[in-house]
Amino acid sequence: MSDRYASFAHWAPGRALVRRLGLPDPPRLRRYRPGDPPVAGPILVGGSGRLGKPLQDIAELAGSAGAAGSTAGADEDRRIAGLGYDASGITDTAGLRGLYDFFHPHARSLRSGGRVVVLGTPPRDCATTAGATAQRAVEGFVRSVGKEFGRGMTAQLVAVRPGAEDGVEATLRFLFSHRSAYVSGQVIDIEPAPANPPADWDRPLAGRVAVVTGASRGIGESITRVLTRDGAHVVCVDVPGVGDTLSTVANDVGGTAVQLDIAAPDAAGRLAGHLADRHGRVDIVVHNAGITRDRTLRRMQPEQWDAVLAVNLASQERINAVLLDRDLVPDGGRIIGVSSVSGIAGNRGQTNYATSKAGVIGLVEAMAPVLAERRITVNAVAPGFIETGMTARMPMVVREAGRRLNSLAQGGLPVDVAETVAWLASPGCAGVTGNVVRVCGQSILGA
Ligand code: NAD
């Protein structure tokens, strides 16, 4: 469904009116297009600590002249596409002043749609109370910048555990690029893991087999297309009732269509059988299929509760269990669950849905440490309001609130979720596990 308000606000006379009346002013977001440079433009870097090198490397990739702590490049007015800051050297409250000193003068130099990325240390890894306090404080700074800068800018904190310094490139490439247009205010934890950069950054998933559930439309279709663009062969799963559209998508991407109701008792076994017979393995599992049956708890029928829990959560548990049990997910495998911001914040009329989506987060958090031994990562993406058939069915007032109550004042597109999934699926993300990454433009109300 098209966002008529955003179209109006992008039209020059409409924009003037929107500004005069102080209404939400959604910026035009620039999304990645094949052929775009790996990062969006010059990056200026500052701060000091153990993470200066990865930041310098990404700045060099971007063709930036910025050296740590220097102001070179700032005079190129609004052409700076990113500000990167190594906060890992901050060991106490006084050190936090470095954030102000670096970002205050440069905040205005950042172009529309610019990126802020701060690298730090997870507080639990700090040797002192003062250090842990300061590192936790950095999160408040980053989240506020994400809400404050406007004009399509995003801000993230990457918390890099000691020993994981070599494993941040794929994440920095994602966060500094147009691929992360609708991701803001996130804290991404990186664990130590053997660095495994792809041979070709344009096709990082070449040779990988992926399965995507709910692949016939909406977010699942977009995930299918983006994983294919990145080189994967995608096994597309959806219910038999949409078999034609599923085949169209699968044919279009050169993948395989599998008609399957994932809530059926034998679904996991049938899917595992297909993957074993055709491919002998599955490298990337994306649990995207999901349904809503919204009602307040008082009015909810038991079948509405059961259906949502069965499709959104129990199927993910069962499919994971069977695929892992049959050793079909190899070393370096990726499991990605699609959760929802409703599962983090709760939502009126969605007790069933929010329960299922919070359960997806619980599943990811519980499985990640267990599967680390097998070098399989498990993460979740939690979309906010994404323009699909699911949100088109919402009542108008709820839909408008969903679109505007985020720092970018607009809904996201399926491709925003798909790009985030593709980043998590990439071989360079071996240390990114147990994370829940919101794709929501950052709520202006909550975290
Ligand atoms: P959608 O309704 O457009 O697509 C969902 C797909 O899942 C459909 O193709 C459907 O046929 C398939 N599906 C449903 N039940 C199935 C089953 N039993 N077996 C196999 N396939 C099944 O929804 P969407 O907006 O693209 O959402 C995709 C995922 O993202 C869902 O998990 C949803 O909960 C989540 N999500 C969406 C939003 C949003 O704003 N659109 C926000 C948060 C989370």
Side-chain angles (χ1 to χ4, degrees), residues 145-352:
V145 163
K147 292 185 181 188
E148 184 178 307
F149 274 19
R151 294 189 296 129
M153 295 186 215
T154 64
Q156 336 284 346
L157 173 61
V158 184
V160 184
R161 299 198 69 184
E165 294 80 5
D166 291 341
V168 296
E169 182 176 357
T171 297
L172 292 183
R173 281 176 176 253
F174 172 67
L175 295 177
F176 277 115
S177 75
H178 294 305
R179 297 171 199 250
S180 55
Y182 201 64
V183 178
S184 191
Q186 299 308 291
V187 180
I188 291 146
D189 286 309
I190 305 200
E191 303 278 334
N196 188 17
D200 176 356
W201 283 98
D202 287 331
R203 285 178 62 80
L205 305 181
R208 303 282 206 276
V209 177
V211 64
V212 178
T213 65
S216 75
R217 66 174 190 226
I219 293 171
E221 178 187 352
S222 194
I223 292 170
T224 297
R225 292 187 186 282
V226 171
L227 295 186
T228 304
R229 176 201 71 192
D230 284 358
H233 173 92
V234 183
V235 177
C236 309
V237 175
D238 215 309
V239 286
V242 298
D244 287 349
T245 30
L246 181 68
S247 299
T248 306
V249 172
N251 287 341
D252 220 26
V253 299
T256 323
V258 175
Q259 296 184 18
L260 194 66
D261 175 353
I262 54 164
D266 62 346
R270 284 176 54 203
L271 181 59
H274 174 91
L275 293 165
D277 291 349
R278 296 287 182 92
H279 306 284
R281 68 180 205 285
V282 57
D283 304 287
I284 301 160
V285 182
V286 185
H287 296 289
N288 162 78
I291 58 170
T292 51
R293 296 287 183 271
D294 295 354
R295 280 282 181 287
T296 56
L297 187 58
R298 267 185 289 174
R299 295 176 180 217
M300 190 177 294
Q301 299 304 310
E303 335 46 278
Q304 294 172 318
W305 177 275
D306 291 343
V308 169
L309 270 291
V311 175
N312 296 5
L313 181 57
S315 70
Q316 295 199 20
E317 293 178 281
R318 243 190 336 252
I319 290 172
N320 287 344
V322 172
L323 295 180
L324 291 166
D325 197 43
R326 296 193 194 175
D327 257 336
L328 286 169
V329 186
D331 189 315
R334 303 279 185 263
I335 298 175
I336 299 155
V338 177
S339 175
S340 165
V341 164
S342 291
I344 297 170
N347 202 11
R348 190 176 185 280
Q350 290 200 316
T351 48
N352 51 356

